Amino acid sequence: MRFIRYLDQNKQPAFGWVLEDKAGRLEGSPFSEYRRLEPEWNLDQVKLLAPVNPSKVICVGRNYASHAREHNVDVPELPLLFFKPPSAVIGSGHPIYIPPQSNRIEHEAELAVVIGKSGRWIPAEKAREHILGYTIGNDVTARDLQRSDKQWTRGKGFDTFCPLGPWIETNLDPADALITCRVNDEMRQMASTREMVYTIPQLIAYASSFMTLSPGDVILTGTPAGVGPLQAGDSIEIDIEGIGVLRNSVKLEPARST
Ligand code: ZN
């Protein structure tokens, strides 16, 4: 099943669901009880929000050996976790804004896990029970600031630096899904999720050993080789087999209104 979020007629975020090229309302929430109402709109007429509003976005650094190699660093001995703030999250179709502080913005195409059930000390073999589904993430990074700041908070944390979407797919085998990333139709990244160093159950077990995972939390599982620059005017498409396509344009951040 595919869950979406959109703005309803009162401009409030609401959950919906997708059936082929149609979308319908959801009574309730995918994180508790829900009822699917008859699909009533064409999917391409629905303005999608990010499919979830997470309390935290947990990211994994260097989880593909190919990406660690292109930055000349080793694969870490434990998962290397960091956060993106929830304020960075945008949906498919929303522009990524290049902030004035950076001269080097890069894309990182990633499989994103959406937590469905709260948990602490989740054993790897029970991780599946805590997953609602999967979506596509782009861990947009100001590479120059990531390098010059000792912490990654700023380089990873600007508004719009966490596109998620287009929806949550509950029916996916994440062990061997093809990820591709195109910028203006030029292929930049292509890899299978089977190349991950730490598997999704291992990441959930490790993260939940020190923090409670809550419904709606998102884990970005790391990016394969091929990260590269984004410029104003670019359009970026990240495709994950079995989920769909996350599309975003790139613009300069609009002038600050003070
Ligand atoms: Zn990343």
Side-chain angles (χ1 to χ4, degrees):
M1 167 141 45
R2 289 177 172 173
F3 294 115
I4 54 170
R5 262 169 88 246
Y6 65 97
L7 283 182
D8 68 13
Q9 62 277 49
N10 302 318
K11 302 268 185 254
Q12 294 302 310
F15 284 106
W17 69 292
V18 174
L19 183 66
E20 291 161 9
D21 56 352
K22 296 271 190 192
R25 279 184 285 178
L26 204 72
E27 242 177 39
S29 149
F31 299 100
S32 54
E33 305 272 287
Y34 63 82
R35 200 163 71 91
R36 286 175 286 179
L37 304 185
E38 205 58 36
E40 52 186 310
W41 317 293
N42 289 326
L43 184 56
D44 55 10
Q45 286 161 353
V46 180
K47 176 133 179 46
L48 296 177
L49 300 174
V52 67
N53 181 22
S55 70
K56 53 188 171 294
V57 179
I58 302 161
C59 305
V60 188
R62 304 177 201 158
N63 202 28
Y64 287 77
S66 58
H67 174 60
R69 262 196 312 274
E70 75 182 345
H71 282 169
N72 247 328
V73 287
D74 292 328
V75 165
E77 284 176 23
L78 284 171
L80 173 63
L81 302 190
F82 59 96
F83 290 118
K84 287 171 101 75
S87 47
V89 171
I90 56 172
S92 191
H94 190 288
I96 296 164
Y97 290 131
I98 298 181
Q101 294 96 322
S102 174
N103 292 311
R104 180 78 183 193
I105 303 299
E106 295 190 351
H107 56 81
E108 297 191 357
E110 311 198 2
L111 175 66
V113 180
V114 181
I115 297 296
K117 190 175 121 196
S118 176
R120 176 86 203 278
W121 291 110
I122 300 167
E125 59 275 14
K126 296 220 159 146
R128 185 67 195 85
E129 297 168 24
H130 292 263
I131 297 173
L132 173 68
Y134 302 88
T135 188
I136 303 169
N138 187 354
D139 176 16
V140 179
T141 302
R143 196 70 70 196
D144 49 353
L145 304 182
Q146 183 194 17
R147 294 214 168 105
S148 61
D149 292 356
K150 288 220 164 53
Q151 296 282 334
W152 295 1
T153 307
R154 187 168 63 134
K156 297 281 192 177
F158 283 94
D159 284 3
T160 75
F161 272 24
C162 189
L164 292 175
W167 41 64
I168 300 167
E169 171 63 69
T170 59
N171 206 354
L172 178 83
D173 175 7
D176 186 15
L178 184 70
I179 302 178
T180 57
C181 172
R182 288 183 180 79
V183 176
N184 307 328
D185 293 326
E186 175 202 343
M187 184 72 80
R188 294 274 184 92
Q189 296 184 270
M190 181 162 57
S192 164
T193 54
R194 71 168 177 270
E195 295 167 38
M196 281 185 200
V197 176
Y198 296 101
T199 64
I200 290 167
Q202 288 170 331
L203 294 171
I204 287 177
Y206 181 69
S208 71
S209 72
F210 61 94
M211 59 185 160
T212 300
L213 300 183
S214 302
D217 283 354
V218 169
I219 303 175
L220 293 183
T221 55
T223 197
V227 301
L230 291 173
Q231 261 132 22
D234 285 347
S235 57
I236 175 164
E237 288 191 356
I238 302 174
D239 187 314
I240 298 185
E241 187 185 13
I243 302 181
V245 184
L246 171 66
R247 287 189 183 85
N248 297 91
S249 58
V250 182
K251 293 183 175 172
L252 291 180
E253 186 179 318
R256 281 162 291 178
S257 48
T258 48

